[in-house]
Amino acid sequence: PGDTTSLNSSYVDDVIETSRGEVYVATDAEAIQKLDRRTGRFTAIRYRRDPALNSNYRKRITEDRQGVLWIAANVHGLCSYDPSTGASQLYRKGPGELSTDVLNGDMALDPAGNLWVCTDGGGINILGIQSGQFSYLRGVAGCEDCIGSDHTYTVFFDDQNRVWIGTFNEGIYYYDPQRFKFGDYYKEPHDLDAFRNLSVLSLYQDKKQRIWVGTDGEGLFMFDAGGKLHRFLH
């Protein structure tokens, strides 16, 4: 406390290294920070905010192909920050913008460079960074080939350009561009019950082609390369 060059909070939500080799940290404080690796000191990076959107819970940072940083959190809106110019822009709920201000933080770039943003109740909001236009991926009741929930926690593109989405209470959904549809991903019929009513918080594919699934209180799951499901508990 009182040292403006220290980490601005002990609650750290995200850390990224950019394409320029710079390190940025997101905490539950208002500003993100840039780390000077040589001195170990932090510099506050302030970006455009709305006083009505003051939650920093689950803050995330993503870099796009132009080197612009995108920042989101729980009740925060979507903000951009250009490290080369210091310019920032705020997107919030409104016609042609976000479907809701309540974001869950996680974001990912698709193969075309569009930004997919998770929301809590507004589905996936997809921003065409070049066009500045939003499109929306929403849950549809009774649709077997649609995403099953508008409450999305995490989004991830694997090395075959398939997108994986972790939801609040409907498990995992994925989209394979070769199949052109959404659906629950289960290798075997009995795997269906493994994620029923679970909160899926994180997804990751390792170098052995295994998919790892982190849950809220129900342990860690892993699909091996052959499709067999494994579960790890404390």
Side-chain angles (χ1 to χ4, degrees):
D3 182 356
T4 58
T5 67
S6 74
L7 192 67
N8 59 14
S9 171
S10 295
Y11 296 91
V12 180
D13 288 313
D14 204 9
V15 181
I16 69 164
E17 181 179 25
T18 69
S19 57
R20 299 183 180 93
E22 298 173 336
V23 175
Y24 290 86
V25 180
T27 71
D28 65 350
E30 288 296 304
I32 62 173
Q33 290 182 298
K34 179 181 176 182
L35 171 66
D36 185 328
R37 298 195 210 206
R38 183 178 60 85
T39 64
R41 295 180 177 181
F42 293 86
T43 301
I45 305 295
R46 301 197 177 276
Y47 53 94
R48 185 169 297 178
R49 297 289 297 267
D50 185 326
L53 306 176
N54 59 6
S55 171
N56 296 301
Y57 177 65
R58 288 179 61 85
K59 186 182 284 187
R60 297 289 187 270
I61 310 175
T62 296
E63 182 188 22
D64 69 20
R65 294 176 179 176
Q66 289 71 46
V68 174
L69 303 182
W70 294 86
I71 308 157
N74 184 236
V75 183
H76 177 282
L78 176 66
C79 303
S80 66
Y81 172 78
D82 188 340
S84 64
T85 65
S88 66
Q89 184 173 357
L90 171 67
Y91 297 88
R92 59 166 304 164
K93 181 181 178 181
E97 294 195 37
L98 294 172
S99 62
T100 176
D101 287 324
V102 185
L103 312 182
N104 275 319
D106 206 15
M107 299 173 284
L109 288 177
D110 68 16
N114 302 309
L115 184 68
W116 290 46
V117 183
C118 292
T119 76
D120 193 357
I124 298 284
N125 287 205
I126 305 171
L127 173 61
I129 292 176
Q130 295 298 321
S131 68
Q133 302 297 311
F134 280 88
S135 57
Y136 312 95
L137 182 62
R138 303 297 299 266
V140 179
C143 176
E144 293 184 357
D145 296 329
C146 304
I147 189 172
S149 174
D150 280 338
H151 301 274
T152 55
Y153 274 170
T154 184
V155 58
F156 173 76
F157 287 86
D158 69 20
D159 58 7
Q160 296 184 40
N161 295 332
R162 294 172 298 197
V163 59
W164 300 72
I165 297 172
T167 68
F168 167 64
N169 58 358
E170 293 292 337
I172 307 169
Y173 287 81
Y174 90 122
Y175 176 70
D176 185 341
Q178 303 303 316
R179 296 181 64 185
F180 302 103
K181 69 175 185 178
F182 268 89
D184 293 306
Y185 176 75
Y186 303 107
K187 284 293 189 179
E188 301 292 341
H190 66 266
D191 290 343
L192 182 67
D193 292 333
F195 300 103
R196 185 73 65 187
N197 300 321
L198 298 190
S199 290
V200 176
L201 300 181
S202 57
L203 296 160
Y204 179 75
Q205 182 182 38
D206 66 22
K207 293 180 180 179
K208 296 182 179 180
Q209 309 301 309
R210 298 175 297 189
I211 298 290
W212 297 83
V213 182
T215 70
D216 188 0
E218 298 295 335
L220 177 68
F221 294 80
M222 182 264 285
F223 286 104
D224 63 28
K228 185 177 179 181
L229 181 65
H230 306 263
R231 187 182 187 189
F232 305 90
L233 292 167
H234 176 61

